């Protein structure tokens, strides 16, 4: 049990850094250019996570078709959830709030679930592995927290509700940690990779169909492209040096 509590403590670190990013968004004046840069940064970080951390783990499965199928199902699940968000928006008359902010919130919740899953599973293998995974994710969640709060702020969501939503990020990360520690503890590698592939598929669809298109709806500039590739490169660097 102390080891599980240690895993929960470690998995809370990305949520704390997410909140730090949100506080930066709270302090800065919001503009279309600022929001656009934040969206490009979040897209770069999430794309780096999916392409350099998650997919390489998914393709080592044997048989590999199981994780590829799970990746597809994860993407299909996100499409279904996104459709529900759009239907809910259409039924809420008199409320003009973009679903993109909620899609960003959901995609980051999925990312945090994956973090918790890797931390919980890593702790069962070796305590230092969980520490390495948690440490590598701390910095990456600062731009994610920024864009989450900036998106809700741009939709005029009250501050109290924004903070409650940010605090709710602890739920998916602890859910992932619990599943990784107790549900997959002692299991073979394949079930762990199947769950990881499912979250990867959902995250990829969110990036390609929601976050990147929304980033291009703001005031694009050369700085936007530099922020995108810069955040991608920094995320890769932190992952590489903290492994």
């Amino acid at each position: 049990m102390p080891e599980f509590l240690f895993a929960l403590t470690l998995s809370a670190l990305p949520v704390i850094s997410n909140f730090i990013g949100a506080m930066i968004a709270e302090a800065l004046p919001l503009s279309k250019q600022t929001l656009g840069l934040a969206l490009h940064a979040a897209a770069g970080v999430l794309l780096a996570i999916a392409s350099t951390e998650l997919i390489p783990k998914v393709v080592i499965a044997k048989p590999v078709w199981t994780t590829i199928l799970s990746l597809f199902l994860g993407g299909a699940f996100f499409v279904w959830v996104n459709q529900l968000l759009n239907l809910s928006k259409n039924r809420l008359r008199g409320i003009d709030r973009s679903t993109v902010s909620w899609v960003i919130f959901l995609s980051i919740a999925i990312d945090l679930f994956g973090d918790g899953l890797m931390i919980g599973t890593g702790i069962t293998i070796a305590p230092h592995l969980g520490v390495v995974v948690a440490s590598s994710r701390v910095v990456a969640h600062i731009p994610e927290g920024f864009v989450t709060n900036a998106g809700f702020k741009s939709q005029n969501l009250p501050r109290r509700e924004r903070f409650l939503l940010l605090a709710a990020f602890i739920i998916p990360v602890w859910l992932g940690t619990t599943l990784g520690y107790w549900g997959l503890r002692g299991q073979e590698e394949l079930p762990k990779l199947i769950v990881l592939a499912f979250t990867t598929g959902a995250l990829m669809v969110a990036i390609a169909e929601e976050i990147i298109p929304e980033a291009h709806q703001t005031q694009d500039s050369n700085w936007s492209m530099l922020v995108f590739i810069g955040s991608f490169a920094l995320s890769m660097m932190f992952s590489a040096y903290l492994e």
Side-chain angles (χ1 to χ4, degrees), residues 36 47 76 121-122 148 159 170 175-176 187 216 227 233-234 238:
L47 188 61
T121 304
T148 303
R159 179 182 293 183
I170 199 69
L175 183 63
Q187 296 288 327
H216 288 305
V227 166
L234 281 174
F238 278 110

Side-chain angles (χ1 to χ4, degrees), residues 11 16 19 29 44 52 64 93 99 146 172 181 185 192 202 215 225 230 239:
S11 61
I16 294 171
F19 194 79
T52 65
V64 71
R93 298 178 180 178
T99 57
F146 183 97
Y181 187 86
R185 185 184 179 92
K192 301 174 185 178
M225 292 179 280
S239 295

